Amino acid sequence: MQKRLAVLASGTGSLLEAMIDEKLPIALVLIDRPCRAHGVAVEAGIKTMLLQRTFGSTFDRDAYTRQVTRVLHDENIDLVAMAGFMTVFAPCMFDEGGYAGRLINTHPSLLPAFKGAHAVRDALEYGVKVTGCTIHHATRNLDEGKIIAQEVVKVFSGDTIATLHERIKDVERRQYPWILRALISTN
Ligand code: GRF
């Protein structure tokens, strides 16, 4: 039987749009804040859920992660794709009965270089001549899971964070949907 796919997003949702264009069977889109990705999912007729996170010292990462896993289990989700989801999960996401091995992420750098939330900025500031994207398994260590695919993107002189990130996202929009399709179809 085909696996049930959930997509987690926090941003503009252009990767989600690419998955929808590729007709991936997305059972659920979960967002952690109001964002454009929500509208993209609604427009496509996909079930959406907003699990609003809080910011600052009151944020209970464990409780939030448990809330997410509960929703994913309730929806019988087999495979989870993070597409610009900006909340880091607590380790319990990967505990027994969690989503270890079934949670995929795309990151806008050639891991293990430039981990974290500012990968494009950090690569530009470092002065690298090539960067790219990495599609990988998410683990309890941020941006460290087994790599599934990578592709190089050249840095041009005069690039800004926005121009470089957009070229990286072009690659992510091309690569991520077919990788997910392959993962959905395999046992
Ligand atoms: C992607 O570059 C992804 O790697 C990063 O956030 C971006 C998501 O873009 N974590 P969008 O919101 O889908 O346009």
Side-chain angles (χ1 to χ4, degrees):
M1 209 172 61
Q2 185 167 261
K3 291 177 184 159
R4 281 173 65 76
L5 173 69
V7 178
L8 313 187
S10 309
T12 57
S14 73
L15 271 54
L16 172 64
E17 278 174 318
M19 294 173 198
I20 292 168
D21 288 348
E22 283 302 313
K23 304 200 172 9
L24 286 186
I26 303 168
L28 176 73
V29 170
L30 190 150
I31 53 171
D32 64 352
R33 67 200 74 189
C35 58
R36 181 176 173 271
H38 183 231
V40 169
V42 170
E43 185 135 319
I46 300 169
K47 181 168 184 174
T48 64
M49 191 160 305
L50 166 63
L51 285 186
Q52 176 79 53
R53 61 159 293 175
T54 55
F55 289 89
S57 57
T58 56
F59 179 53
D60 185 339
R61 199 173 299 279
D62 264 301
Y64 184 82
T65 302
R66 280 196 300 275
Q67 231 184 321
V68 172
T69 44
R70 204 170 310 123
V71 167
L72 296 175
H73 282 305
D74 288 350
E75 295 290 331
N76 295 311
I77 298 300
D78 303 296
L79 185 72
V80 184
M82 291 195 276
F85 190 67
M86 295 306 286
T87 297
V88 175
F89 290 122
C92 60
M93 172 58 81
F94 306 97
D95 288 347
E96 185 80 29
Y99 278 83
R102 302 189 291 155
L103 184 59
I104 312 298
N105 185 40
T106 178
H107 182 78
S109 77
L110 294 174
L111 290 174
F114 308 116
K115 297 173 184 172
H118 302 288
V120 181
R121 181 201 68 189
D122 295 347
L124 257 187
E125 281 180 2
Y126 198 92
V128 293
K129 301 302 175 205
V130 293
T131 181
C133 71
T134 304
I135 295 167
H136 65 101
H137 287 275
T139 62
R140 55 186 79 220
N141 299 323
L142 188 66
D143 298 330
E144 280 192 10
K146 188 167 174 252
I147 291 171
I148 300 169
Q150 285 186 309
E151 192 169 315
V152 170
V153 173
K154 277 189 183 170
V155 179
F156 298 147
S157 64
D159 254 337
T160 62
I161 296 172
T163 57
L164 178 56
H165 198 177
E166 200 46 41
R167 285 204 312 286
I168 294 171
K169 290 211 283 185
D170 278 342
V171 176
E172 292 179 292
R173 287 188 282 259
R174 173 162 47 75
Q175 284 225 348
Y176 207 12
W178 74 258
I179 287 171
L180 292 172
R181 183 174 297 290
L183 292 172
I184 290 169
S185 327
T186 51
N187 288 320

